[in-house]
Amino acid sequence: MLNFNYSIPTKIFFGKGQIEVLGNQIKNYGSKVLLTYGGGSIKKNGIYNRVIEILKDNDIPFWELGGIDPNPRIDSIREGIKICRENDIDFILPVGGGSTIDCSKVMAAGFYYEGDPWDLVIRKSKIEKSLPIGAVLTLAATGSEMDAGAVITNLETKQKLGVSHPSMAPKFSILDPTYTFTVPKNQTAAGVADIMSHTFENYFTLEDGAYLQNRLAEAVLKTCIYYGKIAIDEPENYEARANIMWASSLAINGLLSYGKETIWSVHAMEHELSAYYDITHGIGLAILTPPWMEYVLDDTRLDKFVEYGVNVWGIDSDKDKYTIAKESIDKTKEFFISLGIPMTLREVGIGEENLENMAKAAIEHKDGVVGNFKPLYCEDVLAIYRRAL
Ligand code: NZQ
Ligand code: ZN
């Protein structure tokens, strides 16, 4: 196990009715709020009204920025910074999924940067500090509620890039599983796939001595497998929604990656798909995962797949190792299919046309090589995209 410094500073208020803490929590960090949200789901399911009521009851002045798109755009960030500066706002309150939270994080950082916030995403300039943010999560998927990262899209340059800074981590996040009851089936499925992919990215490493972290990762995967389909079939099943919501936070908040060297693979490849085609992140990940697994499976990586197959899928450990590995990949794919996820790029409108450009971009954005479980070069990424067609 490698050395690490443990720090997961976001306070989590988990469970039904936890929204009651919102007013006091905001007052710990700020006095004028920018409330951010997406395309309107929070207005349909009543969460918006409850949040407004709390802000008013607590005499907290607030401004609003709605309409944040999935795969959030840099333009929304520019708009948010302008509102914050014009009104001396000192706290940002995203209410929504990963897109709204990510967008708010970079707004918070961009507030203190004089140039264009895109500079911060492409690392032309460094983030120094950020306005405090606190999140009300409505979709279990990205883990943005408990990490310091954000992924932002620039449609003009066809770029979707991740950026991270400790100051962007939410000060607190409110996780009420009932808020996810209205998440549609396809977004629930995409969320489960995203959580599993974060876990895979942290789990699939070579002999790292991080036994404990690997068992924790298997627990997160088993939770997704056990409750994923239940959450889709019974959207108001509290237990299923609650377990998936907490899995979302634990998969990416550092717990599974501490002590390991985890350089992610499938995410780097997927971000190009959503940059070029604006597809749903979790769906792209689910499509790419089985072909990635098939492609990287070899003698060096075999034991890790056996560990996965036996511990997560319960495959008989007496079987031949390659049989176990292949069955584990088949089971992963069958699971995604059972959630109703399309399993080919063509089904989500992606053909041959941009595969080479996307493979090149994936490599360029990662300084020449993607991932470290099996380092992937341009021709490898292209081969995986082709398998996924
Ligand atoms: O926009 P609204 O109307 O709110 O509808 C959203 C949106 O259409 C809807 N939704 C959210 N909560 C709902 C709901 N519908 C009904 N009831 C609710 N309670 O779901 C749709 C998708 O929302 P979005 O926020 O885009 O989804 P998600 O949470 O999956 O976020 C995806 C974004 O996060 C990035 C992805 O790349 C993508 O851009 N990621 C962020 C990460 C991070 N910060 O650490 C890591 C991830 O790997 C990921 O890359
Ligand atoms: Zn993800």
Side-chain angles (χ1 to χ4, degrees):
M1 201 188 293
L2 303 174
N3 291 3
F4 61 89
N5 300 336
Y6 178 97
S7 172
I8 307 179
T10 302
K11 266 190 280 173
I12 295 293
F13 296 91
F14 191 97
K16 195 173 177 179
Q18 287 283 21
I19 197 70
E20 299 308 325
V21 305
L22 182 64
N24 283 337
Q25 283 304 312
I26 292 174
K27 286 179 194 165
N28 286 336
Y29 305 100
S31 54
K32 289 169 107 181
V33 168
L34 177 64
L35 165 64
T36 58
Y37 49 91
S41 69
I42 64 163
K43 292 196 170 165
K44 285 193 205 128
N45 58 22
I47 300 172
Y48 172 85
N49 283 346
R50 185 71 195 107
V51 168
I52 298 289
E53 207 171 66
I54 291 173
L55 293 172
K56 287 185 177 162
D57 288 351
N58 283 274
D59 296 321
I60 301 172
F62 64 93
W63 286 254
E64 295 183 34
L65 176 66
I68 294 172
D69 298 293
N71 299 325
R73 323 291 197 229
I74 189 65
D75 312 272
S76 305
I77 292 169
R78 294 183 182 125
E79 206 180 329
I81 294 171
K82 193 163 171 266
I83 302 174
C84 289
R85 287 188 183 147
E86 283 172 1
N87 300 289
D88 294 324
I89 282 165
D90 57 9
F91 188 87
I92 304 181
L93 175 67
V95 180
S99 295
T100 299
I101 303 173
D102 283 5
C103 195
S104 306
K105 285 176 175 174
V106 182
M107 255 176 231
F111 177 84
Y112 288 112
Y113 176 65
E114 284 187 1
D116 183 49
W118 187 243
D119 294 350
L120 303 175
V121 181
I122 58 172
R123 305 210 169 99
K124 194 172 146 196
S125 289
K126 276 191 182 163
I127 295 174
E128 303 285 346
K129 58 179 181 170
S130 308
L131 284 175
I133 80 164
V136 178
L137 185 66
T138 67
L139 198 173
T142 65
S144 187
E145 67 277 8
M146 207 179 179
D147 73 16
V151 186
I152 305 300
T153 296
N154 186 331
L155 286 179
E156 283 159 31
T157 59
K158 286 200 165 59
Q159 281 172 301
K160 181 178 181 188
L161 299 172
V163 55
S164 168
H165 191 266
S167 68
M168 298 197 311
K171 299 294 177 202
F172 65 87
S173 287
I174 295 173
L175 276 57
D176 182 339
T178 66
Y179 284 9
T180 64
F181 284 178
T182 53
V183 176
K185 288 183 194 303
N186 62 337
Q187 288 293 342
T188 302
V192 169
D194 193 17
I195 300 166
M196 289 179 74
S197 181
H198 298 156
T199 313
F200 290 144
E201 304 273 24
N202 290 327
Y203 180 72
F204 281 96
T205 52
L206 292 173
E207 293 162 24
D208 49 27
Y211 181 93
L212 172 62
Q213 290 86 324
N214 291 329
R215 302 294 81 73
L216 290 169
E218 287 162 0
V220 173
L221 291 170
K222 287 168 102 163
T223 301
C224 290
I225 293 163
Y226 184 73
Y227 284 111
K229 186 81 170 65
I230 299 177
I232 288 171
D233 292 342
E234 304 165 33
E236 303 203 0
N237 184 316
Y238 184 85
E239 191 180 301
R241 293 294 195 180
N243 277 278
I244 288 172
M245 199 171 210
W246 191 218
S248 140
S249 305
L250 296 187
I252 195 176
N253 69 358
L255 197 65
L256 307 184
S257 54
Y258 280 130
K260 305 182 68 164
E261 200 190 1
T262 57
I263 303 177
W264 292 17
S265 309
V266 180
H267 272 68
M269 295 189 282
E270 194 294 315
H271 283 166
E272 300 310 324
L273 305 185
S274 28
Y276 274 72
Y277 294 92
D278 202 19
I279 63 164
T280 300
H281 173 63
I283 302 298
L285 294 170
I287 293 173
L288 292 178
T289 294
W292 169 74
M293 287 178 162
E294 285 162 9
Y295 190 83
V296 302
L297 172 61
D298 58 16
D299 288 353
T300 311
R301 280 148 275 268
L302 179 58
D303 284 346
K304 191 69 200 188
F305 279 98
V306 172
E307 191 180 326
Y308 169 59
V310 172
N311 293 346
V312 175
W313 291 107
I315 300 170
D316 182 355
S317 59
D318 288 338
K319 287 188 178 175
D320 163 70
K321 283 186 172 184
Y322 268 100
T323 306
I324 297 174
K326 286 182 181 150
E327 274 186 27
S328 75
I329 299 172
D330 290 345
K331 284 185 179 293
T332 309
K333 188 170 179 177
E334 282 159 21
F335 175 70
F336 289 143
I337 291 171
S338 79
L339 298 185
I341 299 178
M343 288 312 290
T344 63
L345 292 179
R346 290 198 197 283
E347 283 170 88
V348 294
I350 301 177
E352 296 262 7
E353 61 283 356
N354 285 312
L355 296 188
E356 283 188 23
N357 290 338
M358 293 193 297
K360 275 187 206 146
I363 296 297
E364 262 170 35
H365 293 147
K366 295 291 162 193
D367 299 328
V369 60
V370 161
N372 68 343
F373 179 52
K374 177 165 183 166
L376 303 171
Y377 298 91
C378 194
E379 61 276 17
D380 302 310
V381 174
L382 188 56
I384 293 168
Y385 284 153
R386 290 215 165 106
R387 271 173 192 246
L389 271 175

